[in-house]
Amino acid sequence: MRLKKIVSNLLLLCFILLVSCSADSYQGDDISLKNLHEGDLMFVVKETSNPITDATQGIDGLKIDHVAIYHHTDSADYALEAIGKGVVLTPLTAFLNRTKGKEGKPLVAVGRVIVDCDMNTSMKHALSYLGRPYDHFYMPDDKEIYCSELVQKSFVDHHGLPVFPTIPMSFHDKDGKILDSWKQFYAFYHREVPEGEPGTNPGQLSRDKAVKVTYAF
């Protein structure tokens, strides 16, 4: 009887842990712009290529060149993002209007973290970067921040470990050749292209196994 009670208690504990982990990391099946949850990732999809999409790969071949974090307050909904003027809270309606394609629909793929993630702490981290300048040169330090770096540096699990690892930065084409557009950009500022430096990009985040992405344009 005692053994049965121990087994029963262990099964109950496992069930509780499973439910609590699921509730914290993967919040339902409806992943869409109509059902955004705190911390959802909003990937901006382009209809035409640019230097970022030429050097990186989005999920299912989508041309993704930006990512923002959904943030909800009692009074409004926002896109927490790193853009040219720095890390800012953009009203969600303004963000969606900015991302509309030729047919007038927002070209945004929504991603939700489906692994262990301490979302409260992650959002506190992300919000702490508000006002930080934008990193136009995509450097690995956090004196300045670019869009996917904001996500990578902010999201942590319940052990305080990063949900998203860094990867070698990519400024090259499919043949491994650094694109002329990036060579010219960095040469103008008398800098070396940071090819291979630790970093991240929005396309890579969209393909990360920690994220489930849906889109309907």
Side-chain angles (χ1 to χ4, degrees):
M1 291 295 292
R2 185 178 180 183
L3 179 60
K4 287 184 178 180
K5 186 175 182 180
I6 292 174
V7 172
S8 177
N9 288 338
L10 284 173
L11 289 173
L12 178 61
L13 178 60
C14 288
F15 175 76
I16 292 172
L17 288 173
L18 178 62
V19 171
S20 63
C21 287
S22 298
D24 188 68
S25 60
Y26 180 51
Q27 307 169 44
D29 293 326
D30 185 6
I31 304 175
S32 69
L33 287 173
K34 296 180 180 179
N35 187 36
L36 289 168
H37 291 176
E38 182 78 353
D40 278 352
L41 303 178
M42 299 182 290
F43 297 97
V44 177
V45 180
K46 293 298 184 181
E47 294 175 309
T48 57
S49 299
N50 59 44
I52 292 177
T53 62
D54 285 340
T56 61
Q57 181 182 356
I59 187 171
D60 294 337
L62 293 177
K63 297 179 177 66
I64 294 173
D65 73 350
H66 182 61
V67 61
I69 306 168
Y70 173 71
H71 176 54
H72 172 75
T73 70
D74 291 337
S75 58
D77 297 317
Y78 295 97
L80 173 56
E81 57 180 343
I83 53 178
K85 55 186 176 182
V87 180
V88 297
L89 282 171
T90 303
L92 185 62
T93 52
F95 173 80
L96 295 178
N97 284 333
R98 195 181 79 211
T99 62
K100 287 181 178 179
K102 294 178 181 178
E103 296 184 1
K105 297 180 180 179
L107 298 182
V108 176
V110 180
R112 186 165 296 161
V113 177
I114 57 173
V115 298
D116 176 42
C117 178
D118 185 344
M119 191 56 72
N120 287 334
T121 299
S122 298
M123 290 305 298
K124 287 179 182 177
H125 286 171
L127 289 165
S128 73
Y129 285 107
L130 281 171
R132 192 72 59 94
Y134 183 75
D135 187 355
H136 294 276
F137 302 112
Y138 309 106
M139 301 307 293
D141 61 63
D142 62 356
K143 295 178 182 178
E144 299 172 327
I145 297 288
Y146 57 91
C147 68
S148 55
E149 185 182 26
L150 177 63
V151 176
Q152 192 277 321
K153 288 184 178 295
S154 298
F155 279 62
V156 294
D157 63 20
H158 283 90
H159 300 286
L161 299 175
V163 171
F164 303 104
T166 59
I167 61 167
M169 292 289 281
S170 168
F171 296 87
H172 59 263
D173 60 19
K174 60 182 180 180
D175 297 319
K177 179 183 177 183
I178 296 178
L179 295 165
D180 289 339
S181 54
W182 288 116
K183 288 181 180 179
Q184 293 166 8
F185 172 77
Y186 281 96
F188 181 82
Y189 292 99
H190 306 288
R191 289 172 172 261
E192 295 290 329
V193 179
E195 175 77 10
E197 290 291 326
T200 180
N201 66 70
Q204 168 255 331
L205 287 182
S206 74
R207 294 184 292 109
D208 195 287
K209 63 183 180 180
V211 178
K212 181 176 181 180
V213 177
T214 62
Y215 51 92
F217 305 137

